[in-house]
Each structure stands twice: as structure tokens, then as C-alpha cells.
Amino acid sequence: MSTRNTLPEGVISLPAHEAHARHVLDANAWAYFAGGAADEHTLRANPAAWEALALHPRILRPVAGGHTRVSLLGRSLAHPILLAPVAYQRMAHPDGELGSAVAASAQEAGLVLSTQASTPLEAVADAIRSDPDRGPLWFQLYLQHDRGFNIELIRRAEAAGYEALVLTVDAPCSGARDRERAAGFRLPPGISAVNLAGLPPRPARDLAPGRSGLFDDLLHDAPTWNDIAWLQAQTRLPVILKGVLHPEDAREAVRQQVGGLIVSNHGGRTLDTLPTTANALPAVVDAVDGSLPVLVDGGIRRGTDVLKAMALGASAVLIGRPYIFGLANAGALGVAHVIRLLRDELEIAMALCGARTLQQLPNGLLGKPAQPAR
């Protein structure tokens, strides 16, 4: 275990965790965890979009006895905050995914473990599975080129006790991550995607002159809607699609009878100038018309952001970078602190807006910001 397990003095918010982590992480890890695609417009726009939504509180409403509980996939959650899948967490802190999992469990938050975790999926599940108060435990899946390996990975997740598969659908290839390229990003020795050990190499394709290594090679293995049907036939677990922004894709997901959707632009890490998740969420919620849960991630930094997401129809939210910065700062304690801060801020925002529960939010809670006087 690392000695970096004490909360830094003065770190009292998620933005403060980020600012402190900038001095804790080396340039290689900072480029990976903090960077985005291309000019990073989407990376910056995600939090700004939540900030731009104004809360219109109601006063003198009875809020005593309120709570933050929500229901999700047949489970009652103490609050609507989950940890999004983030790869290679041992780059941020030696405790890596185990630290994040223990913190999530202690704070009753859901956890989505990345396919590219730097800790075996079984070890993460073993660390928290028996905790009766933990949140949901889900496994994020990147479909690999070998179907037999995919089935083996699914069986491992099922046997370990994961309760859903979260299929990332918005990254058939990596984004143009200028910050990583400028830093010469590389995985440090001893850190790898351990759950992909044993994956057979991709079959080599002979490319004729002028052919594209992307379109004529790599993208032959990219998933399509046909693979969604195949995946659902291979597992007893609900399949949640992560990376949905367009309402037509949401409607197709309803037709495919998936278990849920996550409105996400991959934290601005794949394609730059995508819609912000705050702006994309309402149309996706309308498209599914209550037929399945819709979660959202991207740019959530305050409890007010969580409340706004719920007011826009989200079933729950996920955070990514904020808890990684907490992990970098203080290991499991830092992750727990991030979750607790966000939940406390959510309760405060609810109380000050006259919202007793997340199921009974006041009408007209969200509106455009007031225009400054001329």
C-alpha cells in the first residue's frame, strides 16, 4: 500500500482535488488521465454545459425526511453516483482499482470496472462483493477481435459476481489525443490491461498500396448492432450501452431491448466537438420514453450538476476524472472523499431547491441563466 493515503490540506472540493493531483501525477499519467481529444473543446465544454444550467429553487417546501435514494435495474441505491470505468488506475496510485472499489463500497456508490483495468476483475469483485451496503458492481466491456476470448471474459465477469455488462460503443478507434502524443505517453513497467492477458493476436491483413490501416484493417473488428444481439445471447446479465448521444441510436437500443443507456462523449477523449452530455441528455431521455434507464457522465464536478442531471431525466450519473484525481491524492481515502463531497453537495442542493427526493423534483427547477442587466 502507498504512503500517499492522507487527504491533502485544503482539498475541499472536486476541483481542488484536480488542482492538487496536477502536482502529484507525473507528466505521463497526467496527459493520460486529464487530457482529451484534439483541441479538447469537448473536454472543456462538458463541465461548462452543466454550469450554464441555472437552478430555480422553490422556497418554503417541506424537505425534512428527504433522501437521495434511487432505483436502478431492480436495486435500491443510497444515491445516484457511480464510478465510471477508467483504465490503468495503478498509474494514479499503487492501490489502483482496488482502492477505488473499496472506496465506492464504503460510500455506497456503484462501480464500473474497465476492461483495461490494471487489476484482475476477480480481485476487485472479491474485495467488495460481500459488502451488503455496496452499490452495483458492473463490468465495462470492449469487444475484442476474438469472439471466443470475449465469451471467456464475459464468463469470468459473471462468475465473479458482476451484475451488468457496460459495452462501450463510441470508440471503434482511439481519438487523436494530442496531449498524450506530445507527452510521449507509454504505460509504465508493470502496468498493463491484465484482464486481456491471453488475447490472441489480431489476424494480419495484407494491405495493398493506398489502403487505410484504419478502414481496411482495424475497423473490420469494430462492433455493430448485430454484435449487440450476439452479446445479449451470450450472457444472462443486462447489457448497457455506453456512449449514446443521438436519439435515433437510443430508439434502436430500445428496439434491441438493451438494459440501459449511458449518455457519454467519452469525456472528450475520442472525437472533439461532440455535443456536451448535458445538452444531449434530454433528447435521449425523450427517445426512450421511460422504457429503460438512462445514465449520464461527462463534466460532473458538483452536487448541483448531479441534481441538474436528475432534473433532465437521468436515472443516475457517473464520474471519471474526479475520482481518479482523488485516488492520486490519497488512495482509497481520496476516492471516498470525492464521492462523499459530491453526495453532500447533492443533499445541500436538494434542500436549498425545495426537493425532498429525486423522484419529486419541483416543476421548473431548471431554466436559462438570468441575463445580466444592460
Side-chain angles (χ1 to χ4, degrees), residues 3 6 31 57 61 77 81 89 97 114 158 170 180 203 212 234 246 282 309 332 336 342:
T3 56
T6 302
R61 292 167 60 94
L77 280 59
I81 302 164
Q89 292 184 27
E97 291 83 1
S114 171
E158 290 175 337
D170 64 348
E180 287 183 26
S212 166
Q234 307 307 313
H246 200 291
L342 205 56

Side-chain angles (χ1 to χ4, degrees), residues 198-220:
L199 174 65
R202 291 181 65 250
R205 289 187 174 90
D206 293 327
L207 293 179
R211 291 290 192 175
S212 166
L214 183 60
F215 286 105
D216 299 313
D217 186 6
L218 180 65
L219 292 181
H220 282 281

Side-chain angles (χ1 to χ4, degrees), residues 141-144 167-175 177 202 213-215 217-224 242-243 266 269-271 274:
L141 184 65
Y142 283 114
L143 283 178
Q144 306 300 314
L167 180 67
T168 295
V169 294
D170 64 348
C173 65
S174 295
R177 298 177 189 166
R202 291 181 65 250
L214 183 60
F215 286 105
D217 186 6
L218 180 65
L219 292 181
H220 282 281
D221 298 317
T224 68
K242 180 179 183 293
H266 218 100
R269 289 174 58 80
T270 52
L271 182 62
L274 287 174

Side-chain angles (χ1 to χ4, degrees), residues 94-337:
D95 299 344
E97 291 83 1
L98 283 176
S100 295
V102 170
S105 183
Q107 293 297 321
E108 302 178 276
L111 173 72
V112 188
L113 184 74
S114 171
T115 287
Q116 296 175 316
S118 49
T119 305
L121 66 91
E122 291 86 358
V124 174
D126 287 347
I128 64 172
R129 187 174 50 235
S130 62
D131 183 352
D133 296 323
R134 66 170 175 82
L137 177 61
W138 298 348
F139 183 70
Q140 177 266 340
L141 184 65
Y142 283 114
L143 283 178
Q144 306 300 314
H145 59 270
D146 186 283
R147 281 199 163 180
F149 185 86
N150 288 326
I151 292 174
E152 179 183 346
L153 192 58
I154 292 165
R155 295 290 174 266
R156 287 175 60 193
E158 290 175 337
Y162 290 82
E163 301 157 37
L165 297 177
V166 177
L167 180 67
T168 295
V169 294
D170 64 348
C173 65
S174 295
R177 298 177 189 166
D178 289 358
R179 200 191 303 204
E180 287 183 26
R181 290 188 289 186
F185 172 74
R186 66 205 178 280
L187 286 175
I191 294 178
S192 66
V194 295
N195 294 304
L196 297 181
L199 174 65
R202 291 181 65 250
R205 289 187 174 90
D206 293 327
L207 293 179
R211 291 290 192 175
S212 166
L214 183 60
F215 286 105
D216 299 313
D217 186 6
L218 180 65
L219 292 181
H220 282 281
D221 298 317
T224 68
W225 285 109
N226 290 336
D227 293 293
I228 304 303
W230 174 84
L231 177 59
Q232 290 176 300
Q234 307 307 313
T235 182
R236 56 179 174 76
L237 301 178
V239 173
I240 299 166
L241 304 187
K242 180 179 183 293
V244 178
L245 293 172
H246 200 291
E248 284 303 319
D249 289 330
R251 293 185 185 97
E252 179 60 29
V254 172
R255 288 189 285 269
Q256 297 263 0
Q257 298 183 313
V258 303
L261 303 179
I262 300 176
V263 173
S264 175
N265 54 32
H266 218 100
R269 289 174 58 80
T270 52
L271 182 62
D272 204 11
T273 71
L274 287 174
T276 65
T277 52
N279 290 330
L281 176 60
V284 172
V285 170
D286 287 346
V288 306
D289 195 24
S291 59
L292 46 79
V294 176
L295 294 79
V296 65
D297 69 10
I300 290 171
R301 299 293 184 269
R302 289 286 184 179
T304 46
D305 300 338
V306 180
L307 181 58
K308 292 170 186 179
M310 303 301 288
L312 290 174
S315 303
V317 306
L318 302 97
I319 57 170
R321 289 182 179 91
Y323 83 86
I324 295 300
F325 298 143
L327 180 69
N329 289 333
L333 180 60
V335 178
H337 189 234

